[in-house]
Amino acid sequence: MSRKRKKTAEFRYYRMPEKRTIIALLGEKWQQNYGRNIDYLHFHNFLEIGYCYEGRGSMILGTEEYLFRGGEFTVIPKNYLHTTNSEPGNISTWEYLFVDVEQLLRKLVSGAPGYVDQMIQAINQKAVFAKGNEMPYLAELLKRILDTMREGKMFYLEEAEGMMLAFLSEIARKNIAFFDQPGGGVREEARMNNLIYRSLDYISDHYHERMKVSDIAAQIHISETHFRRVFSQCMGMSPLEYINLVRIQSACEYLRKTDEPIATIAGKCGYFTSSTFNRNFQKIMGMAPEEWKKRPENYEQQILQFNVRSEEGW
């Protein structure tokens, strides 16, 4: 029996400038027909907040689909699969904020670390799709943050961070209230999704170390077998495939930006034998690391050969 073909997903990552916790994607570039010629979901390395000014289409968040018509906003945790699709021929106008939630909260929230961790967990419990007239306070606050980032007046970053703290605090409260409602089915699904997102965070922090799938399962307190099954269902790939993808992406960054020996780079990315590194690099990038380093302009084309794609922003 042939193996079931895995779904395609794409990892789109953004670089946060030093000492910043918010970046904004604003202006005419984000007036477009979203989803054209794209049939896969993607996820980011930061929390994404989007505001739709006008347009028509659908938003897929995990396994749920929502229709937008203008005046909606979304709050999507990092590593949460999603996509936006405009109706054929329709130009939709969105603007986005990407937020390093952990850094922002640890910078602005006083109290014990466990208190901040509770806020982070609440914010990341679920994705939010809301019409502006359903949550007018949050919609208006979000537009104020976008305008503040757009205008760039003196002390605008400090002002934006303060408003973002208020925005995220309200999101955390609403998420906690949602999961306190009667009915364990939704709560259990959200709990498992949250465990997967925690595992992605753990992999991001520890991919350069010796790490087994059983180590990750132990960190989120579920059995290895159950973790493998749930992770594969959620991400469309096995935990080991995802670990290797993150490691090879990191190796590409080193190859592109440094002259360090390839064996040194392999060790920094969690590979402690050259043969394992070379085998995984060849599988994901379609060529040996030495060859790839000589042809960095082919980065995007080569990674498209793998069924999980990665590119910076979009």
Side-chain angles (χ1 to χ4, degrees):
M1 180 182 295
S2 61
R3 295 180 62 186
K4 184 178 179 180
R5 186 175 180 179
K6 293 183 294 187
K7 296 179 180 179
T8 298
E10 181 175 84
F11 175 38
R12 297 178 181 169
Y13 62 97
Y14 290 90
R15 299 181 187 279
M16 189 69 66
E18 188 177 2
K19 298 182 180 180
R20 292 272 295 272
T21 61
I22 305 172
I23 54 177
L25 306 184
L26 310 170
E28 294 182 357
K29 178 179 179 181
W30 309 105
Q31 299 176 5
Q32 57 178 277
N33 183 263
Y34 286 85
R36 184 176 54 189
N37 300 322
I38 296 176
D39 61 354
Y40 48 83
L41 303 177
H42 66 273
F43 54 101
H44 297 285
N45 56 325
F46 295 115
L47 177 135
E48 175 196 294
I49 303 173
Y51 186 84
C52 180
Y53 294 91
E54 59 182 359
R56 298 188 307 275
S58 64
M59 168 71 71
I60 298 175
L61 300 175
T63 59
E64 301 295 326
E65 184 172 5
Y66 304 88
L67 298 179
F68 66 84
R69 292 294 182 269
E72 295 84 4
F73 68 89
T74 57
V75 183
I76 306 173
K78 70 176 182 178
N79 298 322
Y80 200 106
L81 290 164
H82 64 283
T83 194
T84 305
N85 296 300
S86 301
E87 290 184 358
N90 178 261
I91 300 300
S92 302
T93 303
W94 288 77
E95 288 188 327
Y96 300 94
L97 298 167
F98 285 86
V99 185
D100 187 333
V101 174
E102 181 173 352
Q103 292 302 317
L104 184 142
L105 295 185
R106 297 199 188 285
K107 177 180 179 181
L108 299 182
V109 177
S110 60
Y115 183 73
V116 175
D117 291 338
Q118 182 182 10
M119 286 189 68
I120 294 171
Q121 183 175 352
I123 292 165
N124 289 329
Q125 273 191 312
K126 65 186 289 287
V128 173
F129 178 93
K131 298 182 183 297
N133 57 10
E134 296 173 347
M135 299 184 185
Y137 167 70
L138 286 177
E140 289 304 314
L141 184 55
L142 174 54
K143 287 191 286 185
R144 284 183 59 193
I145 299 171
L146 288 164
D147 288 341
T148 298
M149 297 294 289
R150 189 189 335 277
E151 294 165 3
K153 296 179 180 179
M154 185 179 294
F155 310 127
Y156 77 98
L157 290 175
E158 289 77 8
E159 181 182 3
E161 286 183 334
M163 289 189 288
M164 182 57 69
L165 176 59
F167 183 92
L168 293 177
S169 297
E170 182 67 10
I171 289 294
R173 285 192 290 265
K174 288 184 177 296
N175 284 352
I176 291 172
F178 178 84
F179 289 109
D180 281 344
Q181 295 178 31
V186 172
R187 191 180 302 114
E188 177 61 19
E189 179 181 355
R191 187 182 74 85
M192 295 311 302
N193 285 339
N194 188 51
L195 289 176
I196 294 303
Y197 302 142
R198 284 170 53 198
S199 76
L200 298 181
D201 286 344
Y202 183 81
I203 292 170
S204 295
D205 291 339
H206 298 277
Y207 70 87
H208 55 284
E209 304 170 3
R210 295 184 185 275
M211 178 171 51
K212 299 178 181 179
V213 175
S214 58
D215 297 332
I216 308 170
Q219 284 292 321
I220 59 175
H221 308 295
I222 62 175
S223 71
E224 180 181 352
T225 301
H226 190 36
F227 171 64
R228 288 180 182 273
R229 181 172 63 253
V230 173
F231 189 99
S232 297
Q233 289 174 349
C234 179
M235 298 301 297
M237 71 187 85
S238 72
L240 183 57
E241 287 172 322
Y242 182 80
I243 292 168
N244 282 321
L245 178 64
V246 172
R247 285 172 168 169
I248 295 304
Q249 288 171 341
S250 178
C252 288
E253 288 292 301
Y254 282 115
L255 289 169
R256 202 168 16 230
K257 296 180 178 180
T258 75
D259 291 325
E260 293 181 310
I262 289 176
T264 300
I265 292 173
K268 287 186 173 182
C269 298
Y271 293 106
F272 301 98
T273 63
S274 296
S275 60
T276 303
F277 173 67
N278 290 333
R279 182 174 65 253
N280 282 283
F281 198 100
Q282 178 78 38
K283 178 180 178 181
I284 293 174
M285 301 306 298
M287 64 181 71
E290 294 88 349
E291 182 182 356
W292 188 89
K293 186 173 183 178
K294 296 176 183 177
R295 300 196 298 172
E297 70 278 5
N298 293 330
Y299 170 69
E300 286 81 7
Q301 287 74 23
Q302 291 300 323
I303 204 167
L304 294 182
Q305 296 178 12
F306 193 63
N307 68 338
V308 175
R309 300 185 290 192
S310 174
E311 60 184 57
E312 185 170 5
W314 62 282

